[in-house]
């Protein structure tokens, strides 16, 4: 197998929403080899006692899609406010931009949403 096929690049963005609800992802890329388990980190701030947390995947120029697949698992620690996505048996097709979100993600006022790359 060619060297570039063995490495998987999974991009994450540091995404924040202004206001009381906020999610933060560590900056930088996550790089893994095919077959490895990859964990993408996310922390959140919300005033909601029972927050709804989500992960989205964006391939190329397509819009972000809600994630729900068999090779994925989610870990949520309410006390440390962490919400991680674990991808088992990583594959080249997992290379994408991943977003974590807390509900409500964006409700009407999209001017308050911004990205730090």
């Amino acid at each position: 197998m060619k060297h570039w096929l063995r490495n998987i690049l999974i991009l994450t963005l540091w995404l924040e929403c202004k206001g009381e609800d906020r999610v933060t992802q560590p900056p930088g890329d996550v790089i893994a080899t095919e077959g490895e388990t990859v964990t993408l980190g996310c922390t959140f701030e919300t005033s909601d006692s029972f927050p709804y947390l989500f992960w989205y995947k964006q391939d190329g120029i397509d819009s972000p899609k809600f994630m729900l697949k068999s090779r994925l698992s989610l870990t949520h620690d309410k006390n440390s406010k962490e919400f991680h996505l674990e991808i088992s048996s990583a594959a080249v097709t997992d290379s994408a931009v991943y977003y974590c979100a807390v509900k409500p993600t964006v409700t009407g006022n999209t001017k308050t949403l911004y990205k730090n790359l």
Side-chain angles (χ1 to χ4, degrees), residues 78-93:
K78 184 177 174 183
N79 294 327
S80 66
K81 298 189 176 187
E82 295 179 355
F83 180 61
H84 303 302
L85 172 68
E86 187 175 275
I87 303 170
S88 64
S89 300
V92 173
T93 56

Side-chain angles (χ1 to χ4, degrees), residues 11-98:
L11 301 172
T12 58
L13 287 179
W14 182 353
L15 178 69
E16 288 188 44
C17 246
K18 291 182 179 179
E20 9 182 322
D21 293 341
R22 178 172 55 175
V23 294
T24 305
Q25 293 178 246
D29 300 340
V30 176
I31 300 173
T33 302
E34 282 186 286
E36 287 184 343
T37 297
V38 178
T39 301
L40 304 178
C42 178
T43 58
F44 63 93
E45 294 289 331
T46 181
S47 57
D48 192 343
S49 299
F50 300 99
Y52 293 94
L53 301 159
F54 306 95
W55 277 94
Y56 294 88
K57 177 181 178 181
Q58 184 173 12
D59 292 321
I61 60 171
D62 292 338
S63 60
K65 305 282 189 276
F66 176 70
M67 298 185 63
L68 186 61
K69 292 184 180 178
S70 60
R71 293 183 305 111
L72 304 177
S73 64
L74 304 172
T75 58
H76 173 217
D77 185 330
K78 184 177 174 183
N79 294 327
S80 66
K81 298 189 176 187
E82 295 179 355
F83 180 61
H84 303 302
L85 172 68
E86 187 175 275
I87 303 170
S88 64
S89 300
V92 173
T93 56
D94 293 319
S95 295
V97 177
Y98 290 81

